[in-house]
Amino acid sequence: MHPYIHAQKTPDKPAYIMASTGEMVTYRQLDERSNQGAQLFRKLGLKVGDSIALQMDNNARYFEICWAAQRAGLIYTAMSSRLTAEEAEYIINDCGAKLFIASISQKTQALDLRSRMPNVRHRFSVGGEIDGYESWEAAIAAMPATPIADQRAGRDMLYSSGTTGRPKGVKTELVDEAIDAPTSLLNLATKLYGLSPDVVYLSPAPLYHAAPLRYNMTVMRVGGTSIIMEHFDAEQALALIEKYKVTHSQWVPTMFVRMLKLPEAVRKKYDTSSIKVAIHAAAPCPVQVKEEMIRWWGPVLFEYYAGTEGNGFVACNSEEWLAHKGTVGRALLGEIHILDENGKEQPVGESGMIYFANGPAFEYHNDPEKTRESRSPQGWSTLGDIGYLDKDGYLYLTDRKAYMIISGGVNIYPQEVENLLITHPKVADVAVIGVPNLEFGEEVKAVVQPVAIREAGPALAEELMAFCRAHLSPIKCPRSIDFEEELPRHPTGKLYKRLIRDRYWQGRQSKLVG
Protein backbone atom coordinates (compact mmCIF):
# COMPACT_ATOMS: atom_id res chain seq x y z
CA MET A 1 0.00 0.00 0.00
CA HIS A 2 1.86 3.06 -1.28
CA PRO A 3 1.50 5.69 -4.02
CA TYR A 4 4.33 4.14 -6.05
CA ILE A 5 2.18 1.03 -6.53
CA HIS A 6 -0.72 3.08 -7.85
CA ALA A 7 1.67 5.01 -10.08
CA GLN A 8 2.31 1.70 -11.84
CA LYS A 9 -1.33 0.54 -11.95
CA THR A 10 -3.26 3.80 -12.45
CA PRO A 11 -0.64 6.44 -13.34
CA ASP A 12 -3.07 9.06 -14.66
CA LYS A 13 -5.54 8.83 -11.79
CA PRO A 14 -5.62 11.94 -9.55
CA ALA A 15 -3.99 11.33 -6.19
CA TYR A 16 -5.37 14.69 -5.11
CA ILE A 17 -7.00 17.81 -6.52
CA MET A 18 -6.74 21.32 -5.06
CA ALA A 19 -10.28 22.58 -4.54
CA SER A 20 -9.97 26.25 -5.47
CA THR A 21 -7.51 26.03 -8.37
CA GLY A 22 -8.43 22.58 -9.68
CA GLU A 23 -4.74 21.68 -9.89
CA MET A 24 -4.44 17.91 -10.15
CA VAL A 25 -1.51 15.74 -9.09
CA THR A 26 -1.66 12.25 -10.57
CA TYR A 27 -0.15 9.16 -9.00
CA ARG A 28 2.61 9.21 -11.62
CA GLN A 29 3.45 12.80 -10.75
CA LEU A 30 3.29 12.14 -7.02
CA ASP A 31 5.61 9.16 -7.38
CA GLU A 32 8.11 10.97 -9.58
CA ARG A 33 8.20 14.18 -7.53
CA SER A 34 8.47 12.36 -4.21
CA ASN A 35 11.35 10.33 -5.69
CA GLN A 36 13.01 13.57 -6.75
CA GLY A 37 12.51 14.99 -3.27
CA ALA A 38 14.04 11.89 -1.67
CA GLN A 39 16.99 12.12 -4.08
CA LEU A 40 17.48 15.75 -3.06
CA PHE A 41 17.40 14.86 0.63
CA ARG A 42 20.15 12.30 0.10
CA LYS A 43 22.22 14.68 -2.04
CA LEU A 44 22.07 17.21 0.80
CA GLY A 45 23.34 14.58 3.24
CA LEU A 46 20.13 13.76 5.10
CA LYS A 47 20.13 10.20 6.42
CA VAL A 48 17.47 7.84 7.77
CA GLY A 49 16.24 9.26 11.10
CA ASP A 50 17.14 12.89 10.33
CA SER A 51 14.47 15.55 10.80
CA ILE A 52 12.97 18.23 8.57
CA ALA A 53 10.30 20.85 9.29
CA LEU A 54 7.78 22.52 7.01
CA GLN A 55 5.51 25.50 7.52
CA MET A 56 3.09 25.85 4.65
CA ASP A 57 -0.49 26.61 3.76
CA ASN A 58 -2.47 23.92 1.92
CA ASN A 59 -0.86 23.67 -1.50
CA ALA A 60 -0.16 21.09 -4.22
CA ARG A 61 3.45 20.46 -3.13
CA TYR A 62 2.53 19.45 0.43
CA PHE A 63 2.13 15.72 -0.15
CA GLU A 64 4.98 15.52 -2.64
CA ILE A 65 7.27 16.69 0.18
CA CYS A 66 5.73 14.46 2.85
CA TRP A 67 5.95 11.35 0.65
CA ALA A 68 9.56 12.26 -0.24
CA ALA A 69 10.38 12.36 3.46
CA GLN A 70 8.42 9.16 4.07
CA ARG A 71 10.35 7.18 1.47
CA ALA A 72 13.69 8.65 2.60
CA GLY A 73 13.19 7.50 6.20
CA LEU A 74 13.05 11.03 7.56
CA ILE A 75 11.12 12.41 10.50
CA TYR A 76 8.98 15.24 9.16
CA THR A 77 7.37 17.90 11.35
CA ALA A 78 4.49 19.75 9.70
CA MET A 79 3.95 23.01 11.58
CA SER A 80 0.93 25.28 11.82
CA SER A 81 0.90 28.18 9.38
CA ARG A 82 -0.61 30.28 12.20
CA LEU A 83 2.42 30.14 14.49
CA THR A 84 4.34 33.26 15.43
CA ALA A 85 8.03 33.37 14.50
CA GLU A 86 8.91 32.68 18.13
CA GLU A 87 6.65 29.61 18.26
CA ALA A 88 7.99 28.33 14.94
CA GLU A 89 11.56 28.88 16.11
CA TYR A 90 10.90 26.76 19.19
CA ILE A 91 9.49 23.83 17.19
CA ILE A 92 12.14 23.92 14.44
CA ASN A 93 14.93 23.83 16.98
CA ASP A 94 13.21 21.41 19.35
CA CYS A 95 12.57 18.81 16.64
CA GLY A 96 16.19 19.00 15.48
CA ALA A 97 15.34 19.94 11.89
CA LYS A 98 18.28 20.01 9.48
CA LEU A 99 16.16 21.33 6.62
CA PHE A 100 13.25 23.78 6.60
CA ILE A 101 10.62 24.39 3.91
CA ALA A 102 8.24 27.38 3.83
CA SER A 103 5.53 28.30 1.34
CA ILE A 104 5.36 31.79 -0.13
CA SER A 105 2.38 32.59 2.08
CA GLN A 106 4.79 32.40 5.02
CA LYS A 107 7.32 34.78 3.44
CA THR A 108 7.43 37.43 6.17
CA GLN A 109 7.92 34.87 8.90
CA ALA A 110 10.36 32.81 6.82
CA LEU A 111 12.58 35.88 6.48
CA ASP A 112 12.50 36.41 10.23
CA LEU A 113 13.33 32.76 10.90
CA ARG A 114 16.58 32.79 8.91
CA SER A 115 18.62 33.85 11.95
CA ARG A 116 16.64 31.73 14.42
CA MET A 117 17.49 28.23 13.10
CA PRO A 118 21.17 27.56 13.92
CA ASN A 119 20.96 23.82 13.16
CA VAL A 120 19.11 24.13 9.84
CA ARG A 121 21.55 23.59 6.99
CA HIS A 122 19.17 24.08 4.06
CA ARG A 123 16.17 26.34 3.51
CA PHE A 124 13.65 25.99 0.66
CA SER A 125 10.63 27.98 -0.51
CA VAL A 126 7.54 26.67 -2.27
CA GLY A 127 5.40 28.68 -4.68
CA GLY A 128 7.64 31.75 -4.96
CA GLU A 129 10.98 33.34 -4.10
CA ILE A 130 12.04 34.08 -0.52
CA ASP A 131 15.39 35.77 0.08
CA GLY A 132 17.84 33.29 1.60
CA TYR A 133 15.79 30.27 0.51
CA GLU A 134 16.29 28.02 -2.52
CA SER A 135 13.35 27.15 -4.76
CA TRP A 136 12.04 23.69 -3.90
CA GLU A 137 10.56 23.24 -7.36
CA ALA A 138 13.83 24.14 -9.12
CA ALA A 139 15.88 21.96 -6.78
CA ILE A 140 13.88 18.78 -7.36
CA ALA A 141 13.63 19.41 -11.11
CA ALA A 142 17.34 18.69 -11.32
CA MET A 143 16.98 15.35 -9.51
CA PRO A 144 16.33 11.92 -11.06
CA ALA A 145 12.76 10.61 -10.71
CA THR A 146 13.93 7.13 -9.73
CA PRO A 147 13.82 5.74 -6.17
CA ILE A 148 16.80 6.21 -3.87
CA ALA A 149 18.78 3.04 -3.17
CA ASP A 150 18.09 2.94 0.56
CA GLN A 151 14.36 3.59 0.86
CA ARG A 152 13.03 3.23 4.41
CA ALA A 153 9.73 4.28 5.95
CA GLY A 154 9.86 7.68 7.60
CA ARG A 155 7.18 9.11 9.87
CA ASP A 156 5.78 12.36 11.11
CA MET A 157 6.55 13.92 14.47
CA LEU A 158 3.78 16.45 15.04
CA TYR A 159 3.37 18.99 17.80
CA SER A 160 0.26 19.52 19.85
CA SER A 161 -1.55 22.72 18.96
CA GLY A 162 -0.57 24.47 22.17
CA THR A 163 -4.14 25.36 23.17
CA THR A 164 -3.26 24.74 26.84
CA GLY A 165 0.43 25.60 26.85
CA ARG A 166 3.61 25.27 24.84
CA PRO A 167 3.39 22.74 21.98
CA LYS A 168 4.71 19.24 22.67
CA GLY A 169 6.33 17.05 20.04
CA VAL A 170 4.80 13.57 19.97
CA LYS A 171 7.56 11.06 19.38
CA THR A 172 7.14 7.41 18.50
CA GLU A 173 9.83 4.91 17.63
CA LEU A 174 11.15 4.98 14.07
CA VAL A 175 10.92 1.35 12.97
CA ASP A 176 13.14 -0.05 10.24
CA GLU A 177 10.51 -1.12 7.73
CA ALA A 178 9.64 -0.93 4.04
CA ILE A 179 7.93 2.19 2.73
CA ASP A 180 4.82 0.20 1.78
CA ALA A 181 4.46 -1.56 5.14
CA PRO A 182 0.86 -1.20 6.47
CA THR A 183 0.26 1.29 9.26
CA SER A 184 -2.11 0.95 12.21
CA LEU A 185 -4.24 3.78 10.78
CA LEU A 186 -4.46 2.01 7.43
CA ASN A 187 -5.75 -1.13 9.12
CA LEU A 188 -8.27 0.81 11.23
CA ALA A 189 -9.51 3.08 8.43
CA THR A 190 -10.02 0.33 5.88
CA LYS A 191 -11.95 -1.72 8.42
CA LEU A 192 -14.05 1.13 9.84
CA TYR A 193 -14.59 3.34 6.82
CA GLY A 194 -14.18 1.01 3.87
CA LEU A 195 -11.28 2.90 2.28
CA SER A 196 -10.59 1.62 -1.23
CA PRO A 197 -9.41 2.92 -4.62
CA ASP A 198 -12.97 4.13 -5.23
CA VAL A 199 -12.84 6.64 -2.37
CA VAL A 200 -13.18 10.35 -3.13
CA TYR A 201 -12.15 12.05 0.10
CA LEU A 202 -12.91 15.69 0.92
CA SER A 203 -10.37 17.27 3.25
CA PRO A 204 -11.46 20.72 4.51
CA ALA A 205 -8.85 21.26 7.24
CA PRO A 206 -5.21 22.43 7.34
CA LEU A 207 -2.82 19.66 6.31
CA TYR A 208 -0.37 20.29 9.16
CA HIS A 209 -2.88 18.84 11.62
CA ALA A 210 -2.53 15.15 12.45
CA ALA A 211 -5.88 13.88 11.15
CA PRO A 212 -5.86 15.60 7.71
CA LEU A 213 -2.21 14.77 7.11
CA ARG A 214 -2.46 11.13 8.13
CA TYR A 215 -5.89 10.36 6.67
CA ASN A 216 -5.09 11.91 3.29
CA MET A 217 -1.85 9.92 3.13
CA THR A 218 -3.85 6.81 4.01
CA VAL A 219 -6.28 7.54 1.16
CA MET A 220 -3.25 7.76 -1.15
CA ARG A 221 -1.97 4.45 0.21
CA VAL A 222 -5.14 2.73 -0.97
CA GLY A 223 -5.24 4.57 -4.31
CA GLY A 224 -8.20 6.90 -3.75
CA THR A 225 -8.49 10.58 -4.63
CA SER A 226 -8.40 13.46 -2.14
CA ILE A 227 -10.01 16.84 -2.70
CA ILE A 228 -7.97 19.37 -0.71
CA MET A 229 -9.63 22.61 0.35
CA GLU A 230 -7.18 25.48 0.70
CA HIS A 231 -9.45 27.01 3.35
CA PHE A 232 -12.74 25.83 4.81
CA ASP A 233 -15.87 27.52 3.54
CA ALA A 234 -19.24 25.99 4.43
CA GLU A 235 -20.97 26.49 1.08
CA GLN A 236 -17.88 25.60 -0.97
CA ALA A 237 -17.63 22.32 0.93
CA LEU A 238 -21.19 21.42 -0.09
CA ALA A 239 -20.48 22.42 -3.70
CA LEU A 240 -17.37 20.20 -3.76
CA ILE A 241 -19.33 17.21 -2.46
CA GLU A 242 -21.74 17.61 -5.35
CA LYS A 243 -19.08 18.38 -7.99
CA TYR A 244 -16.75 15.46 -7.22
CA LYS A 245 -19.38 13.05 -5.85
CA VAL A 246 -17.43 12.85 -2.61
CA THR A 247 -17.82 9.52 -0.81
CA HIS A 248 -15.75 10.15 2.33
CA SER A 249 -14.92 13.28 4.29
CA GLN A 250 -13.58 14.41 7.65
CA TRP A 251 -14.79 17.31 9.76
CA VAL A 252 -14.70 19.00 13.13
CA PRO A 253 -17.93 19.97 14.92
CA THR A 254 -17.51 23.70 14.23
CA MET A 255 -17.70 22.93 10.51
CA PHE A 256 -21.01 21.12 11.05
CA VAL A 257 -22.30 24.14 12.96
CA ARG A 258 -21.34 26.51 10.14
CA MET A 259 -22.96 24.33 7.48
CA LEU A 260 -26.13 23.96 9.56
CA LYS A 261 -26.35 27.72 10.00
CA LEU A 262 -26.35 28.33 6.25
CA PRO A 263 -29.75 29.49 4.95
CA GLU A 264 -31.97 26.49 4.27
CA ALA A 265 -32.16 27.38 0.56
CA VAL A 266 -28.36 27.20 0.33
CA ARG A 267 -28.23 23.85 2.13
CA LYS A 268 -30.87 22.35 -0.16
CA LYS A 269 -29.12 23.67 -3.27
CA TYR A 270 -26.43 20.96 -3.21
CA ASP A 271 -26.65 17.19 -3.61
CA THR A 272 -24.80 15.46 -0.76
CA SER A 273 -26.23 11.98 -1.39
CA SER A 274 -22.86 10.59 -2.53
CA ILE A 275 -21.50 10.78 1.05
CA LYS A 276 -21.08 7.33 2.55
CA VAL A 277 -18.80 8.22 5.43
CA ALA A 278 -18.51 11.58 7.22
CA ILE A 279 -15.85 11.25 9.89
CA HIS A 280 -15.62 13.76 12.70
CA ALA A 281 -13.33 14.22 15.67
CA ALA A 282 -11.04 16.77 17.40
CA ALA A 283 -13.75 18.03 19.80
CA PRO A 284 -16.99 16.74 21.31
CA CYS A 285 -19.97 17.32 19.02
CA PRO A 286 -23.07 18.77 20.70
CA VAL A 287 -25.90 16.23 20.64
CA GLN A 288 -28.34 18.55 18.86
CA VAL A 289 -25.78 19.38 16.17
CA LYS A 290 -25.10 15.73 15.46
CA GLU A 291 -28.80 14.88 15.42
CA GLU A 292 -29.37 17.59 12.80
CA MET A 293 -26.46 16.37 10.68
CA ILE A 294 -27.78 12.80 10.72
CA ARG A 295 -31.23 14.05 9.72
CA TRP A 296 -29.64 15.98 6.86
CA TRP A 297 -27.02 13.54 5.54
CA GLY A 298 -28.37 10.28 6.89
CA PRO A 299 -26.66 7.76 9.22
CA VAL A 300 -23.24 8.32 7.61
CA LEU A 301 -21.54 10.08 10.53
CA PHE A 302 -18.62 8.22 12.09
CA GLU A 303 -17.03 9.66 15.21
CA TYR A 304 -13.70 8.88 16.79
CA TYR A 305 -11.70 10.04 19.78
CA ALA A 306 -7.91 9.90 19.56
CA GLY A 307 -4.92 12.19 19.71
CA THR A 308 -1.71 12.97 17.88
CA GLU A 309 -0.12 10.70 20.50
CA GLY A 310 -1.79 7.64 18.95
CA ASN A 311 -2.04 5.90 22.34
CA GLY A 312 -5.63 4.77 21.82
CA PHE A 313 -8.56 4.93 19.43
CA VAL A 314 -12.26 5.10 20.28
CA ALA A 315 -14.97 5.09 17.59
CA CYS A 316 -18.66 4.67 16.84
CA ASN A 317 -20.98 4.79 13.84
CA SER A 318 -24.30 6.64 13.62
CA GLU A 319 -26.38 3.68 14.78
CA GLU A 320 -24.25 3.20 17.89
CA TRP A 321 -24.34 6.92 18.62
CA LEU A 322 -28.13 7.12 18.27
CA ALA A 323 -28.40 4.32 20.83
CA HIS A 324 -25.88 6.07 23.14
CA LYS A 325 -26.34 9.77 22.38
CA GLY A 326 -23.35 11.88 23.30
CA THR A 327 -20.83 9.04 23.18
CA VAL A 328 -17.59 9.14 21.19
CA GLY A 329 -17.62 5.36 20.96
CA ARG A 330 -15.94 2.26 22.32
CA ALA A 331 -12.22 1.51 22.43
CA LEU A 332 -10.82 -0.22 19.36
CA LEU A 333 -7.18 0.39 20.26
CA GLY A 334 -6.10 0.50 23.89
CA GLU A 335 -8.19 -0.27 26.97
CA ILE A 336 -10.00 2.62 28.71
CA HIS A 337 -9.68 3.31 32.42
CA ILE A 338 -11.31 6.24 34.26
CA LEU A 339 -9.30 7.40 37.27
CA ASP A 340 -9.96 10.02 39.94
CA GLU A 341 -7.34 12.51 41.14
CA ASN A 342 -5.84 9.87 43.44
CA GLY A 343 -5.46 7.30 40.67
CA LYS A 344 -8.44 5.24 41.85
CA GLU A 345 -10.61 3.56 39.22
CA GLN A 346 -14.03 5.20 38.87
CA PRO A 347 -17.28 3.23 38.64
CA VAL A 348 -19.60 3.31 35.62
CA GLY A 349 -21.09 6.77 35.09
CA GLU A 350 -18.54 8.62 37.23
CA SER A 351 -16.23 11.15 35.56
CA GLY A 352 -12.48 11.11 35.85
CA MET A 353 -9.32 11.32 33.80
CA ILE A 354 -9.36 9.07 30.72
CA TYR A 355 -6.39 6.70 30.45
CA PHE A 356 -5.47 4.11 27.83
CA ALA A 357 -3.81 0.85 28.78
CA ASN A 358 -2.07 -1.52 26.37
CA GLY A 359 -1.98 1.07 23.58
CA PRO A 360 1.01 2.15 21.47
CA ALA A 361 3.79 3.85 23.41
CA PHE A 362 4.78 7.47 22.89
CA GLU A 363 6.78 10.19 24.58
CA TYR A 364 6.91 13.96 24.40
CA HIS A 365 10.10 14.94 22.60
CA ASN A 366 12.68 16.58 24.88
CA ASP A 367 10.13 16.79 27.69
CA PRO A 368 10.41 13.87 30.13
CA GLU A 369 8.39 15.77 32.75
CA LYS A 370 5.36 16.10 30.47
CA THR A 371 5.79 12.45 29.50
CA ARG A 372 5.70 11.49 33.19
CA GLU A 373 2.66 13.72 33.79
CA SER A 374 0.78 11.85 31.06
CA ARG A 375 1.20 8.51 32.86
CA SER A 376 -0.78 6.99 35.70
CA PRO A 377 0.89 5.00 38.50
CA GLN A 378 -0.08 1.89 36.53
CA GLY A 379 1.82 3.17 33.47
CA TRP A 380 -1.32 4.02 31.47
CA SER A 381 -1.31 7.18 29.33
CA THR A 382 -3.74 10.09 29.01
CA LEU A 383 -4.42 12.96 26.61
CA GLY A 384 -5.60 15.12 29.51
CA ASP A 385 -9.32 14.66 28.91
CA ILE A 386 -12.08 13.94 31.41
CA GLY A 387 -14.98 11.57 30.76
CA TYR A 388 -16.90 8.51 31.89
CA LEU A 389 -17.98 5.09 30.65
CA ASP A 390 -21.53 3.77 30.52
CA LYS A 391 -22.52 0.20 31.34
CA ASP A 392 -21.96 -0.88 27.73
CA GLY A 393 -18.40 0.45 27.66
CA TYR A 394 -19.14 3.58 25.61
CA LEU A 395 -17.02 6.62 26.41
CA TYR A 396 -18.42 10.12 26.97
CA LEU A 397 -16.16 13.17 27.04
CA THR A 398 -16.82 15.76 29.70
CA ASP A 399 -14.01 18.26 29.12
CA ARG A 400 -10.28 18.82 29.27
CA LYS A 401 -8.79 18.79 32.74
CA ALA A 402 -7.13 22.14 32.09
CA TYR A 403 -10.49 23.79 31.39
CA MET A 404 -12.35 22.52 34.45
CA ILE A 405 -13.89 25.33 36.55
CA ILE A 406 -13.85 24.95 40.33
CA SER A 407 -16.49 27.23 41.86
CA GLY A 408 -17.07 26.95 45.59
CA GLY A 409 -15.50 23.50 45.53
CA VAL A 410 -17.83 22.28 42.77
CA ASN A 411 -16.32 20.96 39.53
CA ILE A 412 -17.97 22.49 36.45
CA TYR A 413 -17.17 21.32 32.94
CA PRO A 414 -17.43 24.13 30.36
CA GLN A 415 -18.07 21.77 27.45
CA GLU A 416 -21.61 21.10 28.68
CA VAL A 417 -22.44 24.82 28.70
CA GLU A 418 -20.75 25.38 25.33
CA ASN A 419 -22.68 22.51 23.78
CA LEU A 420 -25.92 24.16 24.85
CA LEU A 421 -25.10 27.75 23.87
CA ILE A 422 -23.88 26.85 20.37
CA THR A 423 -27.37 25.59 19.57
CA HIS A 424 -28.86 29.05 20.14
CA PRO A 425 -29.69 30.62 16.73
CA LYS A 426 -27.93 33.88 17.62
CA VAL A 427 -24.62 32.22 18.60
CA ALA A 428 -21.92 31.58 15.99
CA ASP A 429 -19.20 30.41 18.41
CA VAL A 430 -18.69 30.28 22.16
CA ALA A 431 -16.10 29.67 24.85
CA VAL A 432 -16.95 29.09 28.50
CA ILE A 433 -14.24 29.75 31.06
CA GLY A 434 -13.73 30.26 34.76
CA VAL A 435 -12.95 33.83 35.87
CA PRO A 436 -11.93 35.15 39.30
CA ASN A 437 -14.56 35.37 42.03
CA LEU A 438 -13.55 36.53 45.52
CA GLU A 439 -16.13 34.38 47.29
CA PHE A 440 -16.11 31.18 45.20
CA GLY A 441 -12.64 31.29 43.68
CA GLU A 442 -14.07 31.14 40.18
CA GLU A 443 -17.33 31.82 38.43
CA VAL A 444 -18.61 30.80 35.00
CA LYS A 445 -18.31 33.27 32.14
CA ALA A 446 -19.29 32.78 28.50
CA VAL A 447 -17.46 34.60 25.72
CA VAL A 448 -19.73 34.60 22.68
CA GLN A 449 -19.20 35.31 19.00
CA PRO A 450 -22.70 36.35 17.88
CA VAL A 451 -24.06 35.62 14.43
CA ALA A 452 -24.67 39.38 14.08
CA ILE A 453 -22.16 41.48 16.04
CA ARG A 454 -24.57 44.42 16.01
CA GLU A 455 -26.83 42.45 18.40
CA ALA A 456 -24.08 42.17 21.03
CA GLY A 457 -25.10 43.83 24.25
CA PRO A 458 -26.95 43.46 27.57
CA ALA A 459 -30.23 42.30 25.99
CA LEU A 460 -28.59 39.42 24.12
CA ALA A 461 -26.51 38.54 27.18
CA GLU A 462 -29.64 38.26 29.31
CA GLU A 463 -31.40 36.22 26.61
CA LEU A 464 -28.53 33.74 26.49
CA MET A 465 -28.24 33.47 30.27
CA ALA A 466 -31.99 32.83 30.50
CA PHE A 467 -31.57 30.15 27.81
CA CYS A 468 -28.95 28.47 29.99
CA ARG A 469 -31.09 28.70 33.13
CA ALA A 470 -33.92 26.96 31.29
CA HIS A 471 -31.74 23.95 30.53
CA LEU A 472 -28.96 23.74 33.16
CA SER A 473 -28.62 23.81 36.92
CA PRO A 474 -27.85 27.32 38.25
CA ILE A 475 -24.28 26.50 39.30
CA LYS A 476 -23.38 25.71 35.69
CA CYS A 477 -24.92 28.82 34.14
CA PRO A 478 -22.79 31.82 33.15
CA ARG A 479 -22.91 34.68 35.61
CA SER A 480 -21.88 37.05 32.81
CA ILE A 481 -21.38 37.07 29.04
CA ASP A 482 -18.88 39.00 26.99
CA PHE A 483 -18.98 39.34 23.20
CA GLU A 484 -16.20 39.08 20.62
CA GLU A 485 -16.36 39.63 16.87
CA GLU A 486 -14.35 36.41 16.38
CA LEU A 487 -12.98 33.86 18.83
CA PRO A 488 -9.36 32.68 18.49
CA ARG A 489 -10.05 29.28 17.02
CA HIS A 490 -7.41 27.05 15.43
CA PRO A 491 -8.26 26.20 11.78
CA THR A 492 -8.56 22.56 12.83
CA GLY A 493 -11.49 23.54 15.05
CA LYS A 494 -9.73 23.66 18.41
CA LEU A 495 -10.34 26.77 20.45
CA TYR A 496 -7.39 28.69 21.89
CA LYS A 497 -9.22 28.92 25.19
CA ARG A 498 -5.98 29.66 27.01
CA LEU A 499 -5.72 32.99 25.17
CA ILE A 500 -9.25 33.97 26.23
CA ARG A 501 -8.83 32.77 29.81
CA ASP A 502 -5.52 34.54 30.33
CA ARG A 503 -7.14 37.94 29.73
CA TYR A 504 -9.23 37.49 32.86
CA TRP A 505 -6.45 36.13 35.05
CA GLN A 506 -3.76 38.74 34.45
CA GLY A 507 -2.02 39.58 37.72
CA ARG A 508 -3.69 36.67 39.52
CA GLN A 509 -2.77 33.12 40.39
CA SER A 510 -5.15 30.86 38.48
CA LYS A 511 -6.88 28.18 40.49
CA LEU A 512 -7.53 26.13 37.37
CA VAL A 513 -6.11 22.64 37.22
CA GLY A 514 -3.36 22.14 34.62
Side-chain angles (χ1 to χ4, degrees):
M1 293 289 188
H2 196 275
Y4 84 82
I5 297 171
H6 309 300
Q8 298 169 21
K9 294 181 177 179
T10 53
D12 298 323
K13 181 178 182 178
Y16 54 94
I17 301 169
M18 301 305 297
S20 295
T21 65
E23 181 178 355
M24 177 190 303
V25 175
T26 67
Y27 275 101
R28 178 193 286 115
Q29 291 169 327
L30 179 58
D31 183 49
E32 291 176 350
R33 293 170 189 169
S34 61
N35 276 329
Q36 290 175 309
Q39 293 278 5
L40 177 63
F41 291 145
R42 287 291 185 268
K43 180 185 177 184
L44 297 174
L46 272 68
K47 306 181 298 294
V48 171
D50 283 344
S51 296
I52 68 169
L54 46 148
Q55 187 176 33
M56 303 197 295
D57 56 356
N58 287 9
N59 67 77
R61 308 286 77 81
Y62 216 111
F63 289 112
E64 296 169 4
I65 293 169
C66 291
W67 282 114
Q70 190 272 343
R71 64 198 308 167
L74 303 184
I75 298 169
Y76 49 102
T77 294
M79 304 190 315
S80 168
S81 59
R82 300 293 187 92
L83 298 177
T84 65
E86 183 178 342
E87 291 168 327
E89 173 190 1
Y90 163 74
I91 292 176
I92 292 166
N93 293 325
D94 186 69
C95 76
K98 296 182 178 179
L99 180 147
F100 175 63
I101 304 172
S103 60
I104 191 63
S105 65
Q106 308 295 303
K107 182 176 182 177
T108 301
Q109 188 156 291
L111 292 171
D112 190 4
L113 284 169
R114 289 177 301 181
S115 61
R116 296 172 178 252
M117 308 181 290
N119 299 316
V120 169
R121 303 172 188 169
H122 308 281
R123 300 187 295 260
F124 290 91
S125 65
V126 166
E129 294 183 3
I130 300 176
D131 188 34
Y133 288 69
E134 299 176 65
S135 165
W136 172 261
E137 292 91 339
I140 67 166
M143 296 291 107
T146 51
I148 57 175
D150 60 337
Q151 289 192 122
R152 289 291 185 276
R155 58 162 173 79
D156 64 54
M157 183 171 78
L158 305 181
Y159 280 66
S160 65
S161 59
T163 53
T164 59
R166 204 163 199 181
K168 304 177 288 289
V170 178
K171 186 175 182 179
T172 56
E173 185 182 0
L174 183 63
V175 180
D176 182 11
E177 61 184 9
I179 62 172
D180 56 359
T183 64
S184 58
L185 179 58
L186 175 68
N187 295 332
L188 273 170
T190 51
K191 178 181 178 181
L192 283 178
Y193 311 129
L195 293 190
S196 74
D198 297 326
V199 162
V200 180
Y201 180 83
L202 178 62
S203 182
L207 296 176
Y208 54 74
H209 189 58
L213 180 65
R214 293 170 180 172
Y215 273 78
N216 276 296
M217 292 182 77
T218 301
V219 168
M220 292 170 213
R221 281 185 178 272
V222 301
T225 296
S226 289
I227 312 300
I228 309 296
M229 296 183 72
E230 288 85 351
H231 304 281
F232 174 71
D233 175 83
E235 185 173 355
Q236 186 196 23
L238 298 177
L240 291 168
I241 292 171
E242 179 179 89
K243 178 178 179 179
Y244 291 105
K245 294 182 170 53
V246 168
T247 62
H248 291 60
S249 54
Q250 183 158 175
W251 314 85
V252 294
T254 53
M255 294 174 180
F256 288 158
V257 170
R258 289 172 189 174
M259 288 190 290
L260 287 167
K261 292 197 174 184
L262 289 170
E264 189 173 356
V266 174
R267 287 173 48 188
K268 289 183 175 180
K269 181 179 173 183
Y270 300 99
D271 181 5
T272 59
S273 61
S274 60
I275 289 278
K276 298 178 181 177
V277 174
I279 307 163
H280 71 97
C285 187
V287 169
Q288 184 177 332
V289 170
K290 188 158 180 176
E291 286 175 333
E292 289 185 40
M293 286 302 303
I294 292 174
R295 280 196 293 269
W296 181 13
W297 285 5
V300 299
L301 269 66
F302 289 75
E303 185 165 2
Y304 73 84
Y305 166 69
T308 305
E309 291 81 349
N311 58 330
F313 191 91
V314 175
C316 66
N317 58 28
S318 291
E319 288 78 9
E320 290 175 297
W321 185 87
L322 288 168
H324 302 79
K325 288 186 179 180
T327 186
V328 293
R330 287 193 292 188
L332 300 181
L333 178 65
E335 178 184 300
I336 298 172
H337 295 271
I338 308 295
L339 305 182
D340 67 12
E341 293 180 356
N342 299 314
K344 181 182 177 182
E345 196 113 20
Q346 294 287 80
V348 166
E350 291 292 322
S351 290
M353 187 76 82
I354 303 165
Y355 285 87
F356 286 100
N358 306 318
F362 75 92
E363 62 184 57
Y364 292 117
H365 184 58
N366 290 338
D367 204 331
E369 182 179 349
K370 286 181 179 175
T371 301
R372 284 194 298 271
E373 289 174 353
S374 71
R375 303 301 198 266
S376 73
Q378 300 90 337
W380 305 330
S381 61
T382 183
L383 302 175
D385 293 319
I386 292 173
Y388 64 91
L389 291 169
D390 69 13
K391 61 183 178 60
D392 298 317
Y394 284 87
L395 177 66
Y396 299 73
L397 299 184
T398 308
D399 217 316
R400 288 194 61 81
K401 181 181 180 182
Y403 297 152
M404 184 172 67
I405 300 167
I406 305 174
S407 183
V410 177
N411 292 350
I412 301 166
Y413 299 113
Q415 188 70 53
E416 183 179 3
V417 190
E418 291 167 351
N419 286 352
L420 173 65
L421 279 170
I422 197 62
T423 66
H424 193 283
K426 295 181 181 179
V427 175
D429 203 357
V430 60
V432 173
I433 58 173
V435 297
N437 180 291
L438 290 176
E439 182 179 358
F440 295 105
E442 293 182 86
E443 66 178 58
V444 180
K445 176 182 281 289
V447 181
V448 168
Q449 176 184 326
V451 170
I453 190 65
R454 65 181 181 276
E455 294 185 353
L460 180 56
E462 180 52 43
E463 180 181 341
L464 296 178
M465 287 191 285
F467 179 67
C468 288
R469 290 193 294 269
H471 296 277
L472 298 172
S473 63
I475 188 67
K476 297 178 182 178
C477 293
R479 299 274 295 274
S480 60
I481 293 180
D482 290 347
F483 295 98
E484 298 280 350
E485 190 165 356
E486 186 174 3
L487 297 188
R489 191 174 283 278
H490 194 281
T492 57
K494 289 185 179 180
L495 189 68
Y496 280 108
K497 192 175 285 188
R498 171 176 52 88
L499 300 180
I500 301 172
R501 188 183 61 187
D502 286 353
R503 299 176 203 159
Y504 297 91
W505 287 91
Q506 288 181 358
R508 295 174 179 265
Q509 179 62 45
S510 174
K511 289 181 167 56
L512 292 187
V513 180

